[in-house]
Amino acid sequence: MPETPAAQADRPQRCGLVAIVGKPNVGKSTLVNALVGQKISITSRKAQTTRHRITGIRTVGATQFVFVDTPGFQTRHGNALNRSLNKTVLGAVGDVDLVLFVVEAGQFNQADERVLKLLAQGVPVLLIANKLDTVHRRADIAPWLQDMQQRHAFAEIVPMAAKNARDIERLYVTCEKYLPEQPWWYAEDELTDRSERFMAGEMVREKLFRLTGDELPYTSTVVIDTFEEEEPQKEGHKRLVRIAATIVVERDGHKAMVIGDKGERIKRIGTEARVELEKLMDAKVFLELWVKVRSGWADDEARVRSFGYE
């Protein structure tokens, strides 16, 4: 039964950092979006969609959860981009109150093992056995759960599906007790510490990957060239945001793929990104997209930094 406002007021405020880690494509970004209650982290079937440490904020009752979504730890390619991404993961897990280690329920491989080995001693870790809805016979999970308990001293094991609202509610309750009693860091209605400019680049990148499928290498990226806001001319009207962005690809063939036949694909990428951004920003958005070829950028440390990767 939900607490009354009076009961919530009697409880001390809690606030803490919760890192969400795992190999690429186990559902970390979907979980962050579900926990925050709004889309702040982009998702696609392509591995390595998340490239930055993204902070999502959700205040429930007397507790403020500050969730950190991280890139999936990369073990396949040793280029400058992946070294930067892995550094981001290590930075996120070193200084938090709780770690959610996300795996697919019933599965565990070498890539999962490598991420597990990164986790700092002394920080409680919850094993999130995600995508439980894809397991046909729940009884098959029992031996796997026993095996997982042998692998690491998990504080708790939480079988769940990130798309199930009840599972998300239960996860808040599970996480709450691991967070310290201290004042909140953010206003109650804040959802992320990332700027709208940053979110614009992320949304374009998500649509880029979703609409090109596996044809386009994951090293393609998006750079925001201009981000300008205009206040509404009349009361009751929404502000106007004008955005110009460049999609950076490795080869001329990739450029043609992104533009599509008679420009249809880039038009669709722009339309879908604009619709999402208008929802997220509660504004009227004009979005202009360009495509440029920058071969070898993911191997060039200076260029990786110039494109906004730490």
Side-chain angles (χ1 to χ4, degrees), residues 88-224:
T88 301
V89 181
L90 290 169
V93 298
D95 188 26
V96 295
D97 301 293
L98 178 65
V99 172
L100 306 186
F101 174 53
V102 186
V103 297
E104 286 192 43
Q107 297 187 34
F108 190 84
N109 64 20
Q110 273 188 312
D112 296 300
E113 179 73 44
R114 286 193 189 103
V115 181
L116 188 57
K117 283 183 175 161
L118 296 174
L119 303 183
Q121 297 299 312
V123 177
V125 179
L126 303 188
L127 175 68
I128 305 298
N130 194 27
K131 304 187 183 181
L132 190 65
D133 48 333
T134 62
V135 176
H136 301 302
R137 291 179 57 223
R138 297 292 164 93
D140 295 345
I141 286 286
W144 177 81
L145 288 172
Q146 283 182 321
D147 176 56
M148 293 306 294
Q149 281 169 325
Q150 303 304 311
R151 291 180 182 276
H152 187 90
F154 293 108
E156 295 184 51
I157 295 178
V158 184
M160 64 173 293
K163 292 177 180 173
N164 183 313
R166 279 190 184 167
D167 286 354
I168 292 295
E169 292 300 322
R170 275 198 293 269
L171 187 55
Y172 290 133
V173 175
T174 305
C175 292
E176 183 179 44
K177 56 182 173 283
Y178 296 96
L179 303 189
E181 289 185 14
Q182 62 180 344
W184 298 340
W185 298 341
Y186 299 94
E188 191 170 354
D189 58 351
E190 281 189 72
L191 294 175
T192 182
D193 67 343
R194 285 295 192 172
S195 68
E196 289 183 334
R197 182 186 182 112
F198 172 84
M199 296 306 296
E202 289 289 279
M203 289 303 172
V204 173
R205 204 158 55 79
E206 176 185 72
K207 303 311 171 193
L208 171 70
F209 285 144
R210 284 203 167 182
L211 293 171
T212 54
D214 292 329
E215 300 170 78
L216 194 68
Y218 87 95
T219 47
S220 308
T221 196
V222 175
V223 178
I224 299 297

